[in-house]
Amino acid sequence: MTDGKADQAPDGKDGKKEGGRAARPAARRRGRPPQPEAIEERRKQILAAAIEIFGRRGFHDATMQQISRAAGISVGLIYQYFRDKEDLLHAVISEILDSYLREIPAARATQTEPLERLHAAVRAYFRVVDEHRAAALIGYRESRVLPRARMTEIMARERETTGLIAESVEECRRAGVLQVADPELLTYQLVVYVHAWPLHAWRLEPQPGGEAYIERGMAQLLRPVQPAPEAPPVPSPARRNR
Amino acid sequence: MTDGKADQAPDGKDGKKEGGRAARPAARRRGRPPQPEAIEERRKQILAAAIEIFGRRGFHDATMQQISRAAGISVGLIYQYFRDKEDLLHAVISEILDSYLREIPAARATQTEPLERLHAAVRAYFRVVDEHRAAALIGYRESRVLPRARMTEIMARERETTGLIAESVEECRRAGVLQVADPELLTYQLVVYVHAWPLHAWRLEPQPGGEAYIERGMAQLLRPVQPAPEAPPVPSPARRNR
Amino acid sequence: MTDGKADQAPDGKDGKKEGGRAARPAARRRGRPPQPEAIEERRKQILAAAIEIFGRRGFHDATMQQISRAAGISVGLIYQYFRDKEDLLHAVISEILDSYLREIPAARATQTEPLERLHAAVRAYFRVVDEHRAAALIGYRESRVLPRARMTEIMARERETTGLIAESVEECRRAGVLQVADPELLTYQLVVYVHAWPLHAWRLEPQPGGEAYIERGMAQLLRPVQPAPEAPPVPSPARRNR
Amino acid sequence: MTDGKADQAPDGKDGKKEGGRAARPAARRRGRPPQPEAIEERRKQILAAAIEIFGRRGFHDATMQQISRAAGISVGLIYQYFRDKEDLLHAVISEILDSYLREIPAARATQTEPLERLHAAVRAYFRVVDEHRAAALIGYRESRVLPRARMTEIMARERETTGLIAESVEECRRAGVLQVADPELLTYQLVVYVHAWPLHAWRLEPQPGGEAYIERGMAQLLRPVQPAPEAPPVPSPARRNR
DNA sequence: GATGAATGAGCGTTCATTCAT
DNA sequence: CATGAATGAACGCTCATTCAT
């Protein structure tokens, strides 16, 4: 006997499946499902499993075997939809980026007041990150595994996303409901705050739920820059330098 | 500075290092006495190499072979100082946490004004993160590879670090130089902003150097919470903007 | 069950191991053998195993596992000496080509008479092919697996080998002991006849041993072109040639 | 003829190709009776594709997928006509052997002079090898993949083919137009020379076309054994029919 | 102490083969 | 009859870890 394959126990479970997504046993289908929409469904199915597993173990510790199991299919089938593991990673990141670009504009559209629109945008941003939790981090965490070309493309779309937030900030500024000295930085801080959620939120004492987390953060990040009724806003700390 | 990479220099100095470990069970006796300090130096040497390599390729892509090469020793020798690769990772993270706990108090001690002390603390924090760049991220990025017990210990020390910043914030609040409604959140945002440096800074347009990055961020994060109303703590009223 | 792989017992035996080469159990060595000559020995050991296995099952059916087993070492170790399976194939072919270039000149040097020298050269050529049996075919059989650059290099050395035979033929012609209208073709036929040994010899009825095979072939290939003592074997020498 | 590689064209030869498949459009009917001849046509279609692909990439590198694509059908269908890949290989070899046994006698029948008949036989042999190029080698190259029983059967038919050449040689001997000391060996050398074409011809300097290759070789292989004295040697291939 | 050759489990990936439709 | 999505065994290769020297 050569192998020693081991062959994995069904799953490692972990209790906190969190979203309950993934692992759907997948009707053990066989034969005819090539309907053009079925193929799209398969992709989604695999993608969901990949998001789940990548998110849970990280790109490197995730095995294709685990992903296929989570998707309820065989390993080989994954390779009919994705060139290789790296391609799958790229697809996962793309999927998340697509969510941003889909959800944020939709959320903004539900509001008319500039400040409301900004709030809606950030909340939508946050919701996507929260839904994909750890997976949303993959992009940065494992960025080095992607070839430069793909990285560049991803960063471009990431900037596009950021641009949506920036737009809302700018909208507020123009409307005079926000007195920002450095709009770009404010956008940046909002983005960073959102992304910090899965990574750093444990540091906050009254362990916040996502809802509370985002509201609390926005309140503090945006409040001071709102035209304080009477008092002049930022006094400018200026000089300060080493 | 903010440099990057390089600095292979073991580090050392301080002498006082590690009081506890000094117990040094002797052990391993054979002919050669353990040479107590030589042992400590080897550790440093390996740690430095590990920080370098982990930082550059990430935990998973780093091989023990690469680390040994970077340290100028053989693979086998690493295993005389660290149980396994994971143990080495833990040691790397510990090393960084030690730096925080060493550098931040030292920096605070150089100032007397509360606000100055806070600035100094954050700058010191930032400097450590910057120096270890990518390596500083390892902790979170690869956190899942560490067993829960170690994770808990690390988080505790991380909180200790955060506590140092929180203390300075509190100091400012008590001194009335900062009107924070939510001091804990402010601390959190400072911490997150610092850690975002190696991960998200590329999003900022005028690609900032480390120096500019931290000053710009602190200005915006701290400015609004300073008691602007009557006595502008900072003279120059200047709108300060781009 | 698909395979039928059989999965090999340490060896497939076959009875007619012929040369007894290969498979040497390899002292299960560990630790210090880095003497520069020892490394060369390892290479030889692996090469021998590869020749054996490639020869027996062909490049594609040979597994690295089988080769390592035949060499009495672990798979991993092979990769310390050869980049990958293809590199190993290239090394095997190179090894055989080197043998040609080493053995043929040596054999020619043992004789002084042109015809004797030619005989010696072909016999030496044959001996190398015979020793490596099937493996000698690998080059052509699996040529497509090698990148073009390597193929070109191999063909060049192959031509060099052929050149040695051609030289001997020419020598005979100049000495008047061989009346060849088309020396190049004669060389070609000798080469082809030698290489046909492992591939086609089964077609010959009185299943010939290698010794008999080569003598019989040379006799027929060379006899007619020798200046028949009194009566020129071929009447019209001239015409007919192209 | 004899061309070089390329020929991607689905198949080529025969002309009828393509149109044949069209014949049976209707179909899809359901109750369709097996159509005995249609079945045979499918086999041919698959066989042609297999020869093409096996010839181009070799048995191991050829995938069933590629073959099905080349045949313009689905993978599954191949398995309705051939048990497995190995069975397909066997069929391909059989097909070639059948060609030998069909073409050689036909060619001999076009001539009456013994020497002419031998020439015609070898040329026909060569033509089949040339047409199937690489594929003709498969038998030997991949012989090891076939179970012993099948190998034996193939070798028997191969010998039958060789027997046809041997017969012609014998014919010549009996007719006194060839003075062969070792007729079997001469036959063998002719066979080997023919098979060397796709494998070794690159060694010949004025890279010969197939036509030149075979004539040149036969001239040298047969000339010396012809009773030079009175009878004009080689009947001159010139006329060359077909 | 130090070395680095040696090991082998485990992963990504391919592809012959099956079978529901 | 035909399809091609689905399967999963098996292979090439890597790399953490060991241990004779």
Side-chain angles (χ1 to χ4, degrees), chain C residues 3 75 162 185 223 238:
Chain C
D3 83 351
V75 233
T162 305
L185 185 59
R223 180 182 345 131

Side-chain angles (χ1 to χ4, degrees), chain A residues 56 184 205 234 240, chain B residues 56 123 144 184 205 223:
Chain A
R56 185 145 70 216
E184 194 206 9
E205 225 13 289
V234 190
R240 250 277 93 232
Chain B
R56 187 143 69 216
R123 274 191 212 102
R144 81 195 73 240
E184 195 207 8
E205 223 15 286
R223 182 187 339 139

Side-chain angles (χ1 to χ4, degrees), chain A residues 200-234:
Chain A
H200 296 286
W202 57 269
R203 296 169 184 272
L204 289 174
E205 225 13 289
Q207 289 288 40
E211 198 57 24
Y213 178 85
I214 195 61
E215 296 308 331
R216 186 175 171 197
M218 287 185 74
Q220 173 140 313
L221 247 17
L222 299 180
R223 181 185 344 132
V225 283
Q226 286 176 52
E230 53 294 320
V234 190

Side-chain angles (χ1 to χ4, degrees), chain C residues 55-57 60-61 140-141 144 162 182 184 188-189 192 202-203 205 213 216 224 233 235 239, chain D residues 56-57 60-61 140-141 144 158-159 162 182 184 186 188-189 192 203 205 213 216 220 224 228 233:
Chain C
R56 185 143 72 216
R57 351 258 310 190
H60 283 99
D61 280 346
Y140 315 102
R141 276 204 321 229
R144 87 192 72 237
T162 305
D182 191 343
E184 194 207 10
Y188 176 77
Q189 285 172 336
V192 160
W202 56 270
R203 294 169 186 272
E205 224 12 291
Y213 177 85
R216 187 175 170 195
R239 50 75 296 138
Chain D
R56 186 145 68 216
R57 352 254 313 189
H60 283 99
D61 282 345
Y140 315 100
R141 274 204 321 228
R144 81 195 75 240
E158 195 83 64
R159 259 191 272 261
T162 306
D182 191 343
E184 194 206 11
L186 177 61
Y188 176 77
Q189 285 172 336
V192 159
R203 296 169 185 273
E205 225 12 289
Y213 178 83
R216 185 177 172 195
Q220 173 142 312

Side-chain angles (χ1 to χ4, degrees), chain B residues 16-95:
Chain B
K16 50 108 101 243
K17 191 26 174 166
E18 273 336 301
R21 189 144 50 259
R24 207 101 14 86
R28 194 61 44 152
R29 248 167 310 143
R30 247 316 188 80
R32 210 57 347 172
Q35 254 125 335
E37 25 96 328
I39 253 190
E40 197 46 42
E41 205 168 293
R42 271 279 193 242
R43 264 188 75 91
K44 291 271 195 227
Q45 180 186 3
I46 296 171
L47 232 31
I51 288 177
E52 149 100 28
I53 303 297
F54 280 163
R56 187 143 69 216
R57 353 253 313 189
F59 177 74
H60 283 99
D61 281 344
T63 71
M64 294 301 272
Q65 209 60 246
Q66 286 164 351
I67 295 171
S68 73
R69 211 176 304 126
I73 60 172
S74 68
V75 236
L77 196 50
I78 297 181
Y79 286 83
Q80 214 129 69
Y81 292 84
F82 301 93
R83 185 159 42 272
D84 52 27
K85 198 185 180 190
E86 176 195 309
D87 187 43
L88 186 51
L89 170 62
H90 179 255
V92 162
I93 296 175
S94 269
E95 168 63 21

Side-chain angles (χ1 to χ4, degrees), chain D residues 22 24 52 88 91 95-96 134-135 144 152 160 171 179 221 229:
Chain D
R24 210 133 325 157
E52 149 99 28
L88 187 51
E95 168 64 19
I96 296 174
R144 81 195 75 240
T152 308
E160 215 182 312
E171 224 170 72
Q179 293 186 335
L221 247 19

